[in-house]
Amino acid sequence: MELVLSEYHQKRWEEFKLFADSELDRGGQFPHENLKKAGERGYMGLPIPQAWGGKGEDFLTYILMLEEVSRVCASTGVILSVHTSVATFPLLYFGSDEQKNRFLPDLASGKLLGAFALTEAGAGSDAAALAATATIVAGGYLLNGSKMFITGGGEADLFTVFATLDRSLGSKGITAFLVEKGCPGLVAGPPERKMGLNRSHTAEIRMEDLFIPASNRLGDEKAGFNIAMALLDGGRIGIAAQGLGLARAALEFTIKHLKKQERAGIKTGQWSAFVVADLAAKAEAARLLIYKAAKAKDSRSSCTREASMAKVFATDLAMDAATKCLDLCHSAGCGENNPLNRYFCDAKAPQIYEGSNQIQRIVVARELLRQFNLS
Ligand code: CAA
């Protein structure tokens, strides 16, 4: 498989770098302005076919955009990733034509922001244990329950929500629904106070006798778990790109700091060289894993193993890079408003969300065992 970028991808990557460096702001509240600018350039629907209002780019191009956006603002990165991979793709892959017509063009243009509501207080890693219920009523369903840690929860316009028709069936009882902001019975909590990614406005959403018409059920009844898993494969490649963007940001900050020290006549020592060299090599390795996963996704073969490998490697690298770069930069990196401090705080959640890195290792091991034939 060819892993270097084509001339076209290289050109797009340069454009994304320029966009991220010159257009995006890095601090403050929910990044409405960043998302508006992304929407104006078509980045809210980059891999969505033109027929549905997107740019019709491949998944690799979208991943290049996420890496660059995340290098500058990882909160904007995760919002874009969730919006596209697990909130817009559900419609593209599993929506009826009527649902696609109703939502896809507005999601792809950025007029609507999408979110993904799977996680609950008692169902994080074990997603099949979710307790939110869907009850069949005349004309549709009543949803009840609560969803936790929803990226963009208080800001999103359309949620892909997972609820069970029969909890005793485990993963086989789960159904997916399209839930629109403003529906009576849908309540979004305030943004959680987190250690990092504070602009992504993670929030709880509660559903209290929330009526959903049958026309807003996504896919078949009780097919929701497989839908969630299939979506998360793509989502995890986006989070891997976010990790790589963060790792690069920490490394670039540190290299600039070391150069300034050298210029000031302060010896940086061999240890610094070893750290920087190792991190740079690992960033290249992460890049290859991510490109391989994105190309597997583009070729429409299953990308489960590649996505999980890329997610583990790149997000563990982000945390490792931020930690080691802080060790190297000391006081030059740990001030409250220092970018390196932000990269360190932002790097933790990507190891946890879209399936913790422990879960990713289980997914990879299962895939390997499945492929290994003993006969
Ligand atoms: N693609 C399609 N289907 C899949 C699949 C995949 N990658 N993985 C599993 N499935 C299907 C299986 O084939 C099986 O279907 P059948 O019964 O029809 O054969 C069904 O799903 C159940 O599979 P498992 O028995 O493997 O399920 P499990 O209960 O053992 O769980 C798990 C597997 C991998 C641990 C899963 O629970 C998991 O991924 N957990 C992590 C949850 C997660 O990632 N949450 C992310 C929250 S969203 C978020 O973080 C977004 C954000 O805001 C940043």
Side-chain angles (χ1 to χ4, degrees), residues 78 82 86 116 118-119 124-128 149-151 171-172 225-226 229-230 232-233 236 239 304 353-355 359 363 366:
V78 69
V82 167
V86 289
F116 184 76
L118 175 68
T119 301
S125 287
D126 185 7
F149 305 126
I150 308 307
T151 298
S171 64
K172 303 233 175 307
F225 191 76
N226 295 43
M229 291 298 113
L232 284 166
D233 283 346
R236 288 165 182 165
I239 302 305
T304 304
Y353 55 43
E354 300 234 1
I359 288 294
V363 171
R366 279 187 185 179

Side-chain angles (χ1 to χ4, degrees), residues 31-105:
H32 289 290
E33 198 54 30
N34 287 351
L35 296 177
K36 184 167 169 275
K37 287 174 181 170
E40 283 162 5
R41 282 162 185 76
Y43 298 172
M44 301 284 283
L46 217 45
I48 306 305
Q50 289 176 353
W52 298 110
K55 282 281 173 194
E57 302 262 17
D58 60 14
F59 199 79
L60 178 58
T61 305
Y62 156 68
I63 284 302
L64 295 173
M65 182 274 292
L66 281 184
E67 179 190 338
E68 289 310 317
V69 168
S70 301
R71 180 177 56 78
V72 173
C73 178
S75 290
T76 306
V78 69
I79 296 164
L80 279 174
S81 178
V82 167
H83 167 82
T84 311
S85 303
V86 289
T88 306
F89 275 156
L91 279 144
L92 184 65
Y93 296 153
F94 305 104
S96 64
D97 279 351
E98 184 276 324
Q99 289 170 338
K100 286 179 181 155
N101 272 318
R102 199 151 36 110
F103 297 116
L104 264 182

Side-chain angles (χ1 to χ4, degrees), residues 216-327:
N216 275 31
R217 189 188 71 224
L218 185 72
D220 291 336
E221 275 187 359
K222 301 182 182 166
F225 191 76
N226 295 43
I227 290 177
M229 291 298 113
L231 293 169
L232 284 166
D233 283 346
R236 288 165 182 165
I237 309 173
I239 302 305
Q242 187 200 23
L244 177 57
L246 273 164
R248 276 181 52 216
L251 193 55
E252 284 167 17
F253 178 95
T254 303
I255 291 168
K256 280 185 200 152
H257 171 70
L258 294 176
K259 278 181 82 86
K260 272 190 215 152
Q261 282 198 311
E262 263 184 15
R263 208 172 288 157
I266 302 166
K267 280 213 163 66
T268 53
Q270 267 192 336
W271 182 66
S272 311
F274 293 168
V275 169
V276 165
D278 282 352
L279 290 176
K282 285 180 186 167
E284 287 302 303
R287 178 175 303 294
L288 295 182
L289 281 173
I290 292 168
Y291 289 1
K292 189 173 179 200
K295 288 189 177 192
K297 172 118 183 65
D298 271 329
S299 66
R300 306 212 184 277
S301 58
S302 162
C303 62
T304 304
R305 186 187 61 175
E306 291 88 347
S308 289
M309 280 185 176
K311 200 265 184 185
V312 167
F313 193 86
T315 59
D316 279 355
L317 174 65
M319 195 69 251
D320 192 35
T323 307
K324 289 184 173 144
C325 288
L326 263 175
D327 288 345

Side-chain angles (χ1 to χ4, degrees), residues 339-353:
L340 194 48
N341 178 324
R342 177 163 56 85
Y343 306 145
F344 180 82
C345 294
D346 286 355
K348 193 62 211 171
Q351 289 183 300
I352 300 171
Y353 55 43

Side-chain angles (χ1 to χ4, degrees), residues 2 8 11 45 125 163 178 195-197 234 261 264:
E2 182 59 72
Y8 175 76
K11 188 169 151 279
S125 287
L178 300 167
M195 67 175 285
L197 294 176
Q261 282 198 311

Side-chain angles (χ1 to χ4, degrees), residues 104-120:
L104 264 182
D106 285 345
L107 285 164
S109 70
K111 192 170 165 200
L112 293 181
L113 183 68
F116 184 76
L118 175 68
T119 301
E120 298 179 5

